[in-house]
Amino acid sequence: MNKTKKWIQEIKNKLHFNSKKEIVDFLVRLIFMISTIVSGSFIIIIIIFIAREGIKPFVTDNDGLGAVNLFRFLTGRVWLTGTTFQSTLYSVGFIIINTIYVAILSLLISMPIGVLTALFIAKIAPTKLSSIMRTVIELLAAIPSIVYGLFGAGVILPFVYNFAKTLGIQSPGGNSVLATVIVLSLMILPTITALSEVAIRSVGKDIEHGSLALGATKTQTHFKVILTSAKSGIFSAAILGIGRALGEATAVSLVAGNAQNGPSFGIFQTTSTLTSTMLQGLKETIGLDYDIRFSVGIVLMIVILITNTLLNYVKRKVGNVNVK
Amino acid sequence: MKKIILLLLVLLSGSLVACSSSDDWDSSKNITLYTRDTSSGTRAGFMEGIGFSEAAEDNSLLAEGYVIKDNTGILTSMKTDEYGIGYVSLASLNDEIKGLQFDGVDPTVANVVNNTYGLKRPFNYVIRSLDDFANDTEKEITLAFIAFLHTSDGADIITNEGAIPLTSTSTWDEIKDDYEVCSLDNSGVTIKFGGSDSIEKIALALTEAFAPKCGNFTPEHDHTGSSDGFKRTQGSEKDGVNYKHVGFASRPFKDSELGSDGTQGQLAWDAIVAIVHLNNEVTNVTAEDLKKIYSGEYTTWDQLIG
């Protein structure tokens, strides 16, 4: 009891305001705190909700079907063996590999293009062109993913189909790893470009001038001095880019072909990602087939967490050079 | 700048030319399967129609290399993939792709209604025996609902939901005077609907439109599968807690499900059509062909053409 009284007394002391200004200050701080609590608690509520639904298939007997085997779930190579609504033999092992595979391929394509574009906009292009390009990139970043998906289904799929045909390969309508990677690269390109551009622009003029004064050419300076100095920021761009690639659902499900077994490494094979698997039939299904999608969601969150931690670790290892 | 734009234009036109090459259709190529996912009603109807109903909810029975897409996805894929085959509901068939004849009959609404096109399933209803209703109000509303199914108002709703209604002769306004119960206030009456879950969407749309026309009775939907349609209206569960006034079945009634006179009938057809690319030389398939294609017995188009 004493403690509580003391505590209340402390708060009273703290709430003792000397002037109107202090009251306003206190209220403003209170509003900040409340908004932080609200946004923070949403994350917690979402995690609790997903976890509660997603753990259910493993711990309950799923209305008589029996519990899903966690080891098999994480390592298997077929999404569902047996009849839907009657089988518990779900696996996402190959889908985890597919997801990481397409995300890394997309990053490999869009990183060089994005960074070089950023270098061009920030350092090489005339002021007018660079401001136009900057707007274009921002616009691209704001396009919703379903639009990329429709573009993918309408343009990329026929393109990949015909490309495979000229190589003498029969592609299933273009639905493939390649189409998925192209769509994802297009989607994460603006993110990577915009963030890299900010990082490159924030490299100090004195470093650049120093390099030029030592007799290095402009190109040498750009690649050896500016890009190395901005690498920390460029890594942040890669982290955000790969996060978007891993989490993209709508666009991917329109071009991936939703393979039910795998993993798919050939670029003309159909594939599936964690998100496209979650989305597939989500609106029509029930019971375990519905709950298991939350489990896939947990797996996805863990995959994103691990990837980001790894990249952050690399980013810290790579270090930082005098970036303002 | 001009040079760059010129270069881009050249590249773009080059790739467009490369895309628009049209070779002859080659029947030695492999068949690419397109299918809906296991929760789709169209898939259930299609697999039943070709005698492969065990594959309705089991992907592992399908031939390797299939692609899972939704209705629109299958339609757009057939515009690209010259060697693909898929299926869509008849309502979404258009002339950018080729709808295959089934047993030699064109997939048209007219052929479905005159019962010559075979790849379809009936949407049937069954109501309680006329002497087995708790009271006259429930019986009258149920009968009015059945009459509503056969009006052009009901037909419009069924068409909107993607099925094909039977021919209707009158509008609800013309026949509503025959059903006095609908001019009363029925807000305290609950009518229970059940049976096939494939028909659930149509049934919901129908009762939503009909309830205000018939004294605002309360429709209650609990769709659990075709076999419960008869069981819970006239069969073993007709007096149980799950009893229904109206049951639906997305298949013909079995011999064991024949009810008393005037309690059963059909409200619509659900027709599905197998589709291929316009360049495809195949024009006609049979149920057996489709089963062999989807089970992987036929892997190239040559095998189908024979």
Side-chain angles (χ1 to χ4, degrees), chain A residues 7-24:
Chain A
W7 195 59
I8 290 169
Q9 188 58 43
E10 244 172 48
I11 288 179
K12 265 187 186 167
N13 284 342
K14 275 193 182 162
L15 287 182
H16 183 73
F17 299 117
N18 290 322
S19 66
K20 210 178 153 191
K21 249 166 55 184
E22 274 184 15
I23 298 175
V24 173

Side-chain angles (χ1 to χ4, degrees), chain B residues 162-181:
Chain B
I164 297 160
L166 305 182
T167 38
S168 49
T169 47
S170 47
T171 65
W172 173 247
D173 281 341
E174 285 165 17
I175 62 161
K176 70 176 175 193
D177 291 340
D178 300 343
Y179 298 93
E180 276 171 24
V181 67

Side-chain angles (χ1 to χ4, degrees), chain A:
Chain A
M1 281 314 278
N2 241 349
K3 262 190 182 169
T4 338
K5 264 184 192 168
K6 226 176 161 186
W7 195 59
I8 290 169
Q9 188 58 43
E10 244 172 48
I11 288 179
K12 265 187 186 167
N13 284 342
K14 275 193 182 162
L15 287 182
H16 183 73
F17 299 117
N18 290 322
S19 66
K20 210 178 153 191
K21 249 166 55 184
E22 274 184 15
I23 298 175
V24 173
D25 189 57
F26 174 79
L27 286 178
V28 168
R29 270 186 294 158
L30 200 68
I31 292 169
F32 286 171
M33 198 175 78
I34 289 170
S35 53
T36 312
I37 289 171
V38 168
S39 61
S41 57
F42 267 123
I43 292 174
I44 292 168
I45 289 169
I46 289 172
I47 289 177
I48 290 175
F49 174 70
I50 304 265
R52 210 191 56 190
E53 296 285 317
I55 289 169
K56 221 158 64 179
F58 302 102
V59 292
T60 65
D61 77 338
N62 299 307
D63 296 329
L65 293 176
V68 176
N69 180 329
L70 182 62
F71 179 74
R72 188 195 164 100
F73 182 71
L74 291 175
T75 55
R77 296 183 55 182
V78 179
W79 162 241
L80 174 63
T81 314
T83 307
T84 317
F85 308 125
Q86 288 166 34
S87 169
T88 59
L89 305 174
Y90 287 92
S91 303
V92 293
F94 72 102
I95 307 179
I96 298 176
I97 297 171
N98 281 348
T99 309
I100 296 173
Y101 181 63
V102 294
I104 288 175
L105 281 189
S106 322
L107 198 64
L108 283 181
I109 292 178
S110 49
M111 262 313 264
I113 302 177
V115 171
L116 292 184
T117 312
L119 195 61
F120 179 77
I121 295 173
K123 293 290 172 192
I124 300 166
T127 336
K128 213 172 179 185
L129 180 64
S130 74
S131 73
I132 294 173
M133 284 304 289
R134 210 168 288 147
T135 322
V136 170
I137 301 285
E138 275 161 17
L139 276 177
L140 281 177
I143 291 177
S145 55
I146 181 69
V147 177
Y148 281 101
L150 292 175
F151 175 76
V155 180
I156 308 281
L157 287 187
F159 169 76
V160 171
Y161 179 79
N162 287 303
F163 178 58
K165 204 169 142 190
T166 40
L167 296 179
I169 299 165
Q170 195 190 332
S171 151
N175 298 287
S176 59
V177 173
L178 182 62
T180 314
V181 167
I182 293 176
V183 169
L184 281 180
S185 308
L186 285 176
M187 286 188 62
I188 63 178
L189 188 59
T191 315
I192 291 181
T193 311
L195 284 166
S196 306
E197 201 252 343
V198 173
I200 288 170
R201 258 194 301 151
S202 64
V203 174
K205 276 267 184 252
D206 41 355
I207 302 184
E208 197 184 339
H209 289 161
S211 163
L212 290 171
L214 285 169
T217 65
K218 278 215 160 172
T219 312
Q220 280 173 330
T221 312
H222 287 153
F223 279 98
K224 297 204 168 161
V225 177
I226 293 180
L227 281 192
T228 10
S229 313
K231 63 189 168 187
S232 165
I234 292 173
F235 249 98
S236 309
I239 292 172
L240 272 179
I242 208 162
R244 195 171 182 195
L246 288 172
E248 180 46 43
T250 333
V252 169
S253 64
L254 287 174
V255 297
N258 300 313
Q260 300 295 292
N261 48 37
S264 336
F265 292 119
I267 59 167
F268 291 119
Q269 276 181 302
T270 56
T271 185
S272 55
T273 64
L274 290 168
T275 44
S276 73
T277 309
M278 285 169 76
L279 198 60
Q280 186 199 113
L282 178 68
K283 283 173 275 183
E284 296 191 66
T285 197
I286 45 158
L288 173 63
D289 199 49
Y290 181 76
D291 293 338
I292 199 82
R293 281 149 219 272
F294 288 91
S295 319
V296 180
I298 298 178
V299 172
L300 177 65
M301 289 199 289
I302 294 170
V303 167
I304 292 181
L305 201 70
I306 291 174
T307 327
N308 278 8
T309 319
L310 267 178
L311 282 175
N312 268 314
Y313 174 77
V314 177
K315 179 183 153 189
R316 243 178 291 131
K317 277 272 165 189
V318 164
N320 223 341
V321 187
N322 189 23
V323 174
K324 280 178 190 166

Side-chain angles (χ1 to χ4, degrees), chain A residues 84 165 170 173 175 254 258, chain B residues 30 57-58 68-69 81-82:
Chain A
T84 317
K165 204 169 142 190
Q170 195 190 332
N175 298 287
L254 287 174
N258 300 313
Chain B
N30 290 331
E57 292 180 345
D58 190 349
I68 296 184
K69 289 253 164 179
D81 193 341
E82 294 168 282

